[in-house]
Amino acid sequence: MSRTSVLKKSTIGRLIDHEAPLSFQFDGKTYEGHQGDTLASALLANGVQLMGRSFKYHRPRGVLTAGSEEPNALVELRSGGRQEPNTRATVVELFAGLEARSQNRWPSLDHDMMAINDRFSNFLTAGFYYKTFMWPKAFWEKLYEPIIRKAAGLGSLTGEADPDAYDKGYLHCDLLIIGAGPTGLAAALTAGRAGAQVILADEDYRLGGRLLSETKALSEMSGTDWVAQTQAELAALPNVRVMPRTTVFGAYDHGIYGAVERNADHVPTPTAGKPRQTLWRIYSKRALIATGAIERPIAFENNDRPGVMLAGAARAYTNRWAATPGQSVVIFANGDDAYHTARDLMAKGVEVPAIVDVRDGAPTLPGTEVLAGQKSLTRRGVLACRQSLCVWLMAKPAP
């Protein structure tokens, strides 16, 4: 992984502030990121791919996505009473002095003794311990169960009291818009101009959704410029409330919605007298769900290993955070979206030696070999990957 100097001069990747470096720690080692980074993007830019271990077999785990759907890169944040286990590195907003640790490993992430479980995965099937550790009976309570319980679980809990304050409140609106991507922003602008009381909530700390990660133009301007212009107009409308860092987690009877606003998760400590998080009960006459789509990975052997990433995530790290996903990338694809990823990567100087496409009528791409009609990762494709020390990317958008 790298953060190349060419990106410092580019309009793409400008959503991090290259002039505002931030120092943070991961597993006791100090790294440097930038204002606007997530923990995941900063680690990737520093060449860190291994970020955790799987729950049962302790297989190595890296980043698969770039958002809240991340299943692999779970880390432990902070220390003392503010310790947070099982936090997705892809949504952790980087700040100076952030302390993060990997989970579910001993004695270290690189050398995990429990990784031996992966060698015997064929024997360690679901529920095997209930059938295996039966004799002698007295050993279960005093030996077997304590060992199994110690090996289970991911993050650890602190025994210290949480020093922060948490608040709750009530909000009312005519229209609640969940998601501030292009659809959500356009809807908020339309409803706001019409005079409706609007609440626009998004889990990200920046509005824009996929527009922040794409190179396509919108209304004859870049996606990020359109977002900035729209956000400025929304801020000038007194009947529109914009709530970034807010996750709407539930819809209930009579137009009631539950939401958590993370007021101070992006700073070391909350401002004195201010809450770290606020639980909102929102009463809305109507709601618009504009949460977009989530990519679906293609199944193949070892697709859970570090270095395997969704195509949309690769574009996000390259375009939004200026963290290229590798020097050489092979893409496993079943749609045209993969070629968009290839072009974006190649524009940043990343080599794309091959695209393995499951379709017979796959398009061509100058400078890249397209292996069309491949229903799985072939020996030839795997060989190309090994020779290039590349990252496998997958491109399969959800319907």
Side-chain angles (χ1 to χ4, degrees), residues 27 50 53 102 104-113:
D27 278 349
L50 179 61
R53 294 279 176 171
S102 57
N104 200 38
R105 80 289 188 276
W106 182 85
S108 68
L109 183 59
D110 290 322
H111 304 93
D112 181 15
M113 297 297 291

Side-chain angles (χ1 to χ4, degrees), residues 59-209:
R59 289 166 64 86
R61 287 287 183 262
V63 168
L64 177 67
T65 75
S68 58
E69 69 275 23
E70 175 60 35
N72 291 341
L74 302 179
V75 298
E76 197 168 84
L77 300 181
R78 308 174 190 257
S79 58
R82 293 190 173 94
Q83 183 172 309
E84 301 173 53
N86 301 326
T87 306
R88 290 157 294 191
T90 52
V91 298
V92 176
E93 196 172 344
L94 198 69
F95 58 82
L98 174 66
E99 297 177 29
R101 294 173 297 280
S102 57
Q103 303 181 147
N104 200 38
R105 80 289 188 276
W106 182 85
S108 68
L109 183 59
D110 290 322
H111 304 93
D112 181 15
M113 297 297 291
M114 292 298 289
I116 191 67
N117 289 358
D118 193 27
R119 302 275 185 174
F120 298 96
S121 58
N122 291 336
F123 304 99
L124 306 180
T125 56
F128 77 96
Y129 28 80
Y130 297 117
K131 304 172 184 178
T132 306
F133 300 109
M134 300 292 292
W135 183 90
K137 186 176 181 180
F139 277 32
W140 172 256
E141 184 176 351
K142 297 181 179 180
L143 179 62
Y144 299 146
E145 187 180 29
I147 293 176
I148 292 172
R149 286 189 178 277
K150 186 176 181 180
L154 290 174
S156 59
L157 296 174
T158 177
E160 301 180 31
D162 188 341
D164 295 329
Y166 299 83
D167 202 357
K168 62 181 179 180
Y170 301 86
L171 295 173
H172 296 79
C173 63
D174 297 317
L175 177 64
L176 170 64
I177 301 175
I178 306 168
T183 301
L185 287 171
L189 200 58
T190 301
R193 288 170 175 172
Q197 293 293 325
V198 178
I199 292 177
L200 176 62
D202 193 275
E203 64 184 2
D204 202 342
Y205 52 93
R206 281 185 178 271
L207 306 186

